[in-house]
Amino acid sequence: MERTVLIAGKEYPAGSALASAAINHNRKVVITSPFGAPENEDTIPTEEISTVAWNKSSSVSARSIVLQAENVFQKVDEGVLVFDTAWLSPNFNSMTPEICSRAIDTMITSYFYLSLELVNRFIKQGGGSIIFMLKSAPGLVDMTSSTTIHGE
């Protein structure tokens, strides 16, 4: 039986390798994109993958993503929420109140909204899976103490 996976957090096209791996494992894929469908739709096989826009600070957008996935592939069986620190960190290089608020919306609130929508959907349909993936980046302490980096 073919399953549908919703991939969020590693937007298309950066998340295309993850989407390809899911397709290779007989999944239909809905993946978030900063602006929805890519400009050149010929680059993705539309029968196996669909892109949806995700406004991370909006609970309505989280619900919309799940509904769009269901409209395209009838249901969502799995959610893969990717938190890529190296991808997100450069966007928040200072700590003003405005940047702190945007960082919270992007890195915490957005994942909460989408998780809530997926859990509620899985309860209604009688099952589903959520995978939280963390791709960490080395911190300053890691880099200064690493013998691999310093060659010692």
Side-chain angles (χ1 to χ4, degrees):
M1 182 170 102
E2 211 165 58
R3 299 175 64 84
T4 300
V5 60
L6 170 63
I7 300 171
K10 191 69 171 182
E11 277 78 20
Y12 192 85
S16 60
L18 188 56
S20 293
I23 290 169
N24 289 339
H25 286 88
N26 299 318
R27 301 302 199 262
K28 299 288 186 182
V29 175
V30 177
I31 187 168
T32 57
S33 175
F35 307 107
E39 289 180 17
N40 183 4
E41 293 224 22
D42 297 335
T43 61
I44 59 173
T46 55
E47 68 278 353
E48 296 174 335
I49 187 170
S50 179
T51 58
V52 293
W54 186 19
N55 176 355
K56 291 184 176 184
S57 63
S58 168
S59 62
V60 174
S61 182
R63 177 164 291 171
S64 176
I65 288 171
V66 175
L67 292 173
Q68 287 178 62
E70 290 177 335
N71 285 338
V72 174
F73 297 121
Q74 285 66 53
K75 72 177 192 167
V76 176
D77 302 290
E78 302 162 339
V80 177
L81 306 180
V82 181
F83 191 88
D84 186 344
T85 58
W87 181 265
L88 293 171
S89 296
N91 298 321
F92 309 107
N93 53 8
S94 64
M95 276 292 119
T96 65
E98 180 182 291
I99 290 174
C100 186
S101 178
R102 194 167 42 94
I104 290 168
D105 282 347
T106 300
M107 295 188 283
I108 299 171
T109 307
S110 58
Y111 290 87
F112 172 78
Y113 288 150
L114 192 50
S115 298
L116 181 64
E117 289 299 326
L118 287 169
V119 166
N120 287 335
R121 186 64 60 199
F122 294 159
I123 289 170
K124 285 181 184 176
Q125 69 188 31
S129 302
I130 297 179
I131 299 168
F132 293 95
M133 292 179 62
L134 171 64
K135 181 180 178 196
S136 61
L140 183 59
V141 173
D142 298 325
M143 292 171 47
T144 56
S145 63
S146 173
T147 57
T148 307
I149 294 172
H150 296 295
E152 296 172 358

